Amino acid sequence: MAERATNTGAGELHALLAEFDDVDAVSGAARALRDAGYRRFEVYSPFPIHGIERSMGLSPTRLPWIALGAGLTGTSLALFFQWWTNAVDYPFKISGKPLFGIPANIPVTFEFTVLLASFGAFFGMLILNRLPEHHRPVFENPRFRRATDDGFFLAVEVDDPRFDPRATRALLEQHTRRPLEECRDSGQTRELPGSVRAALVSVAALGLLPLAGVVWARSQDSSRPPIHVVNDMDSQPRYRAQAANPVFSDGRAMRSDALGTQAFGELPRPGTITTGKQGDAWTESFPVPVTPAFLARGRERFAIYCTPCHGQSGYGDGLVALRAAELQEQNWVQPSSLHDPLVRARPVGQLFDTVVNGVRTMPAYGRQIPREDAWAVVAYVRALQRSQNAAQADVPPTERAKLGAQ
Amino acid sequence: MSAPHTESAPRQGDQVLGPRAGRWATPALAVGVLGLAAALGLGWQRGDGFSRLQHSWLVACAFFLTLSLGGLFFVIIQHLTRAGWSVVVRRVAELVAANTAVVALLFAPLVLGVLLSNDGLYPWADAERVHGNPLLSAKAAFLDPRFFAARCIVYFAVWWLLGRWLLARSTEQDRVSGPEPTLALERRSAPAMAAFALSLNFAGFDLIMSVNPTWYSTIFGVYIFGGSVMSFFAAAVLALRFLQSRGFLTREVSVEHYHDLGKFLFAFVFFWGYIAFSQFMLIWYADLPEETFWFKTRMEGPWAAVSWVLLFGHFVLPFLGLLSRHAKRRLALLTLWAVWLLAMHAVDLFWLVMPSAETSGVLVSPMDLASFAAVGGFWIFSLLRLARGRSLLPVGDPRLPQSLAFENF
């Protein structure tokens, strides 16, 4: 029984579809169309046919250039951003490396080049092939299903400038004995079905939600601590100040220097300046000249090292102390008020010793604070004590006049 | 370009080098002997107890050894993946891969030197020096002359056995009709690959890295591997071009096969660069003096120029040059890059070994050329003797038709 065309659809003619017996036949037809000047036709086969692009007269693909361009864009963007963020916008020295050290930037540059080149190749391929294409009228032809199995097809589209219903048909019939099919537009459109479109739109809208959340959060002020998704340095396996540690016999977690050891860079210099003592007694006078610059230094160091516990004005109400009170820490010992008569009565040598070696529950700061600075801190503590316990006579006359005016 | 046609199956007789192998082998042998004499003479003249010559000799041996090892890798991976495209070029690779015994012989004097406590090349061969250096004495158990010699024997034995076995099974397939030998090759290639990977990696540490025994880089073996495989693909392109110019494999090996060899060459140019950079970056970033000194010597003085040559000559330029499909399919261009990259591979090995012998002035010595000629001459002589009676095409391979019809998309 002779084969019969199974023409489908009733709408406008979309393409003329021809079936062939084998690769040679379909390639021959493609060559004939190419030589006749046709451009808009497609060959469908179950497997890739070597050389079909030449038979069809397709020009070599531009895809490699797109991939190269995208790759080079990746290279330059990655280098630019790393240079901008590390060396310009937020310069930050890391382990003595140059702010913009090429070796450190190569891995990111490499990955980004590969990423954009692959994007270029993948999306470039889709765009050059005008994909994704949801539907073509040839798909509706029942014979065409064999294109994924053992059928070789060629479809000439109507919008080819050379297309002529009779002439094209005659040309194709020279190459195949099988009946030609007319593929017509049926009701099925080339557009995506409404349900799919709705789904895509809602997914895209949902995808915007996190972004919207970020924008909202950034416009808001909050006094609560931020949510930490990654707990990096928030919870560390460390001991808090004054915490107990059963490992040591004295039960203290904060260790003082081991007996007989010397901190790096610190030469033993016996004398008042390193011990705070004159003979066996605490010195009452400063072993270094006290100048305004020295006091300023002391004020700065005090602000850094002492205020967290003792507070700006030395009443023992620093932030750490306030926090400890808020948390109702069991073992917390309130930092002394520096204006306590007892503390005020201490000789400067003893205050110096307190800073360097600590006292009772107060940790030693000799590690962080060089000796000269410790004296500066003590000088500032003295100034602070004086300021909080001053008589009117202590205020300079000019300032006194201002006070009187108020 | 049309696919090579397969109507008439290639016959074995056409593709045997026969007496021609002998005609080319004699000059190779002569070059080898003259090179050896010159190298020994120059080494003697230097009066440094042959220390400098040992360095040259190591570079030359490593160069030809890595060609063979790259070939070994290629052959094993073809069987492992049951590759079809490569059958027409595989015999050449098999011959190269089987040609390691000659290097073992040439390398033996260096091992002997180590056994005799000669520290002209490997400083750890001297027990006294090791004793006085805590870094070396910590490694003394591994870098022990006798243990080292034993390991060398194992490496060369593994390579020689693998190479000869792959070649023997493959030539057996030329004669028998069933696919048995090929199936056996496929079955055994996985353990063969494991043996290859371990032996090459450790040999890299032993033969080359231990020239600087206090330095260490765990990726070093992989670095040597990258250079080996790259140099093999360059050599394969040249060997095939040579054979085709003499009328062998002219119909069988087409531009499609060169294109694939070119892709591999390109890939391993990049692989080498990737590994070389990884090694450099980790050391640069960690900035530990016991690691950085190795690069410091290579980034200062006359060696700095060599490092730049490697960066651009071994990586940047060939990467850009081989990127395009057209470069891999234009045979004159591909051949040029193959020659260039082989030269770069020699520079690379020179750069690895020689800074411990040469720190200033002209780094190259006539001794280097003489050693190269000596090892190269003997290596090619031995290669031709291996090839003499064998077909250059695996005529009985079940995948030969597939390879003949191979075409790139």
Side-chain angles (χ1 to χ4, degrees), chain A residues 48-51 54 68 94-95 97-98 101 103-104 106-107 110-111, chain B residues 1-2 270 274 277 280-281 284-287 323 405-409:
Chain A
I49 301 175
H50 276 293
R54 284 188 293 273
L68 181 70
I94 299 166
S95 57
K97 296 287 183 292
I106 290 289
F110 169 72
E111 301 294 345
Chain B
M1 223 146 308
S2 64
F270 198 84
Y274 188 101
F277 177 74
F280 172 77
M281 190 197 65
W284 177 84
Y285 214 102
D287 209 8
L323 186 58
F406 172 65
E407 216 178 320
N408 281 289
F409 278 104

Side-chain angles (χ1 to χ4, degrees), chain A residues 22-311:
Chain A
D22 53 28
V23 171
D24 288 342
V26 76
S27 304
R31 272 194 298 275
L33 282 170
R34 173 194 70 192
D35 295 342
Y38 286 84
R39 284 285 163 269
R40 291 192 59 89
F41 63 96
E42 285 287 356
V43 170
Y44 304 90
S45 79
F47 49 78
I49 301 175
H50 276 293
I52 193 67
E53 68 281 1
R54 284 188 293 273
S55 307
M56 292 174 69
L58 299 179
S59 47
T61 171
R62 278 169 298 155
L63 196 55
W65 291 106
I66 296 179
L68 181 70
L72 288 177
T73 310
T75 313
S76 16
L77 272 185
L79 278 177
F80 172 76
F81 277 136
Q82 289 177 96
W83 167 76
W84 172 255
T85 51
N86 294 329
V88 180
D89 191 42
Y90 198 79
F92 194 75
K93 267 262 183 242
I94 299 166
S95 57
K97 296 287 183 292
L99 285 177
F100 184 63
I102 291 282
N105 295 321
I106 290 289
V108 170
T109 309
F110 169 72
E111 301 294 345
F112 205 55
T113 305
V114 172
L115 181 73
L116 287 208
S118 325
F119 278 177
F122 180 68
F123 293 109
M125 180 277 289
L126 290 185
I127 290 167
L128 290 182
N129 284 323
R130 297 202 194 89
L131 289 173
E133 188 175 333
H134 169 60
H135 183 74
R136 276 192 179 200
V138 287
F139 293 167
E140 285 164 45
N141 190 294
R143 274 170 66 197
F144 184 74
R145 291 192 191 132
R146 286 178 46 208
T148 60
D149 184 5
D150 62 351
F152 301 91
F153 291 89
L154 192 157
V156 185
E157 284 165 29
V158 177
D159 41 6
D160 191 300
R162 291 260 157 177
F163 188 86
D164 173 84
R166 279 159 191 282
T168 309
R169 177 175 279 275
L171 185 71
L172 286 175
E173 276 170 349
Q174 285 171 13
H175 292 270
T176 180
R177 290 171 292 105
R178 301 180 185 239
L180 301 189
E181 301 276 357
E182 286 179 355
C183 301
R184 293 178 182 281
D185 275 335
S186 63
Q188 279 219 47
T189 55
R190 285 173 158 228
E191 264 129 55
L192 285 177
S195 55
V196 175
R197 238 182 308 168
L200 285 179
V201 170
S202 32
V203 166
L206 281 178
L208 285 177
L209 278 185
L211 267 181
V214 169
V215 171
W216 178 80
R218 284 196 64 104
S219 67
Q220 224 65 22
D221 281 334
S222 164
S223 58
R224 273 176 303 152
I227 305 165
H228 284 237
V229 184
V230 180
N231 250 330
D232 289 331
M233 297 176 82
D234 297 338
S235 65
Q236 301 173 1
R238 60 152 163 78
Y239 282 100
R240 288 156 172 264
Q242 298 188 7
N245 184 343
V247 170
F248 299 105
S249 59
D250 62 3
R252 291 170 53 152
M254 300 294 137
R255 309 307 302 161
S256 46
D257 288 353
L259 215 63
T261 57
Q262 189 76 45
F264 190 76
E266 215 170 81
L267 294 172
R269 263 195 302 161
T272 311
I273 202 164
T274 51
T275 60
K277 284 192 176 172
Q278 220 155 26
D280 276 344
W282 299 116
T283 177
E284 297 280 358
S285 60
F286 285 89
V288 282
V290 178
T291 61
F294 190 65
L295 263 181
R297 172 82 180 163
R299 178 186 188 153
E300 186 199 60
R301 295 292 107 177
F302 182 89
I304 293 170
Y305 290 109
C306 317
T307 50
C309 291
H310 288 284

Side-chain angles (χ1 to χ4, degrees), chain A residues 279-345:
Chain A
D280 276 344
W282 299 116
T283 177
E284 297 280 358
S285 60
F286 285 89
V288 282
V290 178
T291 61
F294 190 65
L295 263 181
R297 172 82 180 163
R299 178 186 188 153
E300 186 199 60
R301 295 292 107 177
F302 182 89
I304 293 170
Y305 290 109
C306 317
T307 50
C309 291
H310 288 284
Q312 295 282 358
S313 42
Y315 283 101
D317 54 355
L319 281 178
V320 172
L322 295 181
R323 176 105 175 118
E326 192 180 300
L327 296 176
Q328 300 184 328
E329 289 275 352
Q330 294 290 313
N331 302 320
W332 180 258
V333 176
Q334 182 66 21
S336 314
S337 163
L338 302 180
H339 311 300
D340 185 290
L342 207 66
V343 179
R344 281 176 62 205

Side-chain angles (χ1 to χ4, degrees), chain B residues 130-144:
Chain B
V130 171
H131 195 66
N133 184 332
L135 285 177
L136 290 185
S137 31
K139 295 180 182 177
F142 190 77
L143 291 179
D144 169 80

Side-chain angles (χ1 to χ4, degrees), chain B residues 156-175:
Chain B
F156 279 102
V158 167
W159 299 331
W160 184 75
L161 287 173
L162 279 179
R164 294 302 296 225
W165 177 73
L166 291 166
L167 180 63
R169 269 327 208 23
S170 174
T171 41
E172 184 189 339
Q173 183 70 80
D174 290 354
R175 297 184 301 270

Side-chain angles (χ1 to χ4, degrees), chain B residues 288-309:
Chain B
L288 303 173
E290 63 266 36
E291 292 176 354
T292 46
F293 82 91
W294 193 85
F295 277 109
K296 196 167 182 308
T297 44
R298 284 159 180 78
M299 287 164 75
E300 285 175 353
W303 284 106
V306 185
S307 301
W308 284 109
V309 167

